Structures are given as structure tokens and as C-alpha cells.
Amino acid sequence: MQQIVGILIVLGSVFGGFFMMGGAFHQIWQPIELIVIAGSGMGALVIGNPGHVLKEMGTQIKKIITKKKYDSEFQRQLLLLMYELLQLAAGGLKALDAHVEAPKDSPLFQRYPRVLDEPKLLAFIVDNFRLMAMGKINAHELEGVLEQELEAIHTELEQPAKSLGKIGEAMPGFGILAAVLGIVITMNTVSEGATSGEIAEHVGAAMVGTFIGIFFCYGLIDPLCNMMKQLVNSEAANKETVKVVLVTHVAGKPPLLAIDAGRRLVQLNIKPSFAQLERWINDLEGNDSGASDNSGRGGRGAKAA
């Protein structure tokens, strides 16, 4: 909703001001100029980036459009998933094999669908539980490995916003390119005996190209790049939370303290308090014990029968 309001403010300010000064829609509707500028920008984007960067760019833009947010419910699911995994790991990391080998088929992971919907975060979680299960690794070694991995992931995920930002910076140049082509056409009309009114109309149409390039740069692409950067930072914060939980666990701390260490890295606007985290865990353990009691009563009933 906030993004829609922002777009309406930009459009209302730019085009509303134009119409208030006596402008008309047909004066700025120049589809050929639009094709030249947008097509050149798209072509440059394809030329300058490998396929996986373009694919990740599409994924990030889709998340922004669908308003996919990492809210307090997402954090609840992430922290409780990590808590349950640590509880299982307390009985030996081999107990986790059935869950981390096929997380989408695991009843444990299926209780946390918001995390399952994040393939990169899910892969980060299961890969590092596998790493801990493969052999003894101390907290310092694990922290070093995870920091290097997170740095590599963050660098790669930042690339789409950087590449799109470069195209945004080039948009005024593409606008000038379209304007120059328009002026070339105008000069040809002069040689053909065009009237002053026709020449003025052609020049005005050519200048629209410069306007479109600048508008695309500062009104659309630059804000979109900023939103992509914030999305990547949010994803990085989630992985940092997982990293701290794992390192604290390997250092020998109990699951609750490990989860609390991860909680401290959650973004401030959605960060749960320790009391809230404790309530979540108490509710989880209450549900689990309730399920165990019910199954126990069922078992006793079967024996009695």
C-alpha cells in the first residue's frame, strides 16, 4: 500500500503539474520515444548481465510486487523451527537426517510454511546442519565458515540491484539519444519545407525523450533498486539469525539461549521481546506435550481394549 501511495504521489506531482500548466496528454504521449528508450535499456541489461543475475532480478522484483514481507509471523516460524531442530540435535545430530535430507517432506518443516517458501534460507539451514553432522567442528571454525558463505551470498544477491541501478543511471542518456533522433527527423522536415508550427511540434516530441529518460531514472528505477537492496538486507538478516543460533549451539549453550542470541539480530521493527519468544516456545511445548498425552491415552485405551 505504501508503494502505491508513493507512485501516485510521483505521478500526481509530475503529470498533475504538467496539466496545471496547460499541457495536454497528446503532447507527452510519444510511443516511439518510449520504445527507443525502454528497448535500449532492456537490451543493455541483457548484454551486461549473465542469465542467473537476470533471473534473480526477476525473483526480487516479483517479491516486491507481491509484497512478500518478513514480518513478526515469519520470525516466529523461523525461531521456532530452529528451536525444534536444536531440540532434536540434542539427542544427536543423526536424529536430524530424516528432516534435513528432505525438508519439504518433513512434518517438522511443514509446520513452518513461511520458511519452506524461502528456498535460499531453507538451503542455508539444512546445509549447515549437514555440515555439523558430518564431523566435529568448534564454534570458532563454524563462525568463520558461515561468515564467508554469507558474504558470498550477499554479494551475489546485491548484483541485480547494482545492475539495474546502472541501467537507471543510463536512462537520461538513452533519453538524449531518442531526443537526438527526433531532432534529426525535425531537420529533415525543415529541408522538406515544414512550417514553423510543424517544426515546433517535432522539437517538442523530441524533447519528450529526455523527459522519459529522466523520469524512468529518478521516478521508477532508482526507487525500485532501493527496495531491492532493502529486500536483500532483510534476507541477509534472516541468515545472520540462523548463523548466530548455530554458532551459539555449537559453543555448548542450551537451545533457549541459542535462539535468544539469534533473536537479537532480528530487525528492530519486527524484533520479538524475550518474553514473547518464551511464550512462543511455551505454547509450542504445550502443544507438543498435549499431542503426546493424547497419543498416550490412545495407546492405553488400545491396550485396555
Side-chain angles (χ1 to χ4, degrees), residues 79 244-245 255-265 272-274 277:
L79 293 172
V244 170
V245 170
L256 181 58
L257 289 183
I259 298 301
D260 182 58
R263 174 192 68 86
R264 296 172 187 273
L265 272 73
S273 64
F274 179 78
L277 174 63

Side-chain angles (χ1 to χ4, degrees), residues 69-235:
K69 294 181 179 179
Y70 300 108
D71 53 13
S72 59
E73 172 59 19
F74 177 87
Q75 298 302 327
R76 185 190 72 83
Q77 292 194 20
L78 176 60
L79 293 172
L80 291 183
L81 170 63
M82 295 303 296
Y83 180 78
E84 288 207 66
L85 290 172
L86 294 186
Q87 290 284 74
L88 281 177
L93 288 169
K94 291 297 181 183
L96 292 172
D97 284 351
H99 299 285
V100 299
E101 291 300 327
K104 292 191 176 181
D105 298 326
S106 163
L108 190 155
F109 279 90
Q110 288 174 358
R111 288 201 289 269
Y112 305 103
R114 295 285 295 274
V115 180
L116 276 178
D117 287 341
E118 294 293 325
K120 297 184 184 68
L121 178 62
L122 184 64
F124 183 75
I125 292 171
V126 299
D127 284 352
N128 286 295
F129 271 104
R130 287 195 193 102
L131 173 66
M132 293 190 299
M134 287 171 62
K136 192 169 181 61
I137 184 170
N138 62 44
H140 180 70
E141 291 171 337
L142 181 62
E143 185 174 17
V145 170
L146 295 185
E147 281 182 355
Q148 290 179 342
E149 182 180 4
L150 287 176
E151 183 178 355
I153 292 173
H154 192 66
T155 300
E156 184 171 343
L157 293 182
E158 276 187 326
Q159 190 57 48
K162 290 181 178 179
S163 298
L164 189 60
K166 289 288 185 183
I167 297 301
E169 292 173 0
M171 276 295 156
F174 288 128
I176 293 172
L177 174 64
V180 169
L181 293 176
I183 295 298
V184 169
I185 294 173
T186 302
M187 293 299 101
N188 288 332
T189 62
V190 172
S191 66
E192 293 171 359
T195 64
S196 58
E198 292 172 336
I199 294 172
E201 185 176 347
H202 281 291
V203 171
M207 296 305 295
V208 170
T210 305
F211 159 73
I212 293 174
I214 296 172
F215 179 74
F216 275 9
C217 175
Y218 298 107
L220 297 178
I221 297 179
D222 189 60
L224 179 60
C225 290
N226 190 46
M227 292 170 67
M228 291 169 67
K229 290 175 184 176
Q230 292 179 29
L231 176 68
V232 170
N233 288 337
S234 296
E235 292 183 354

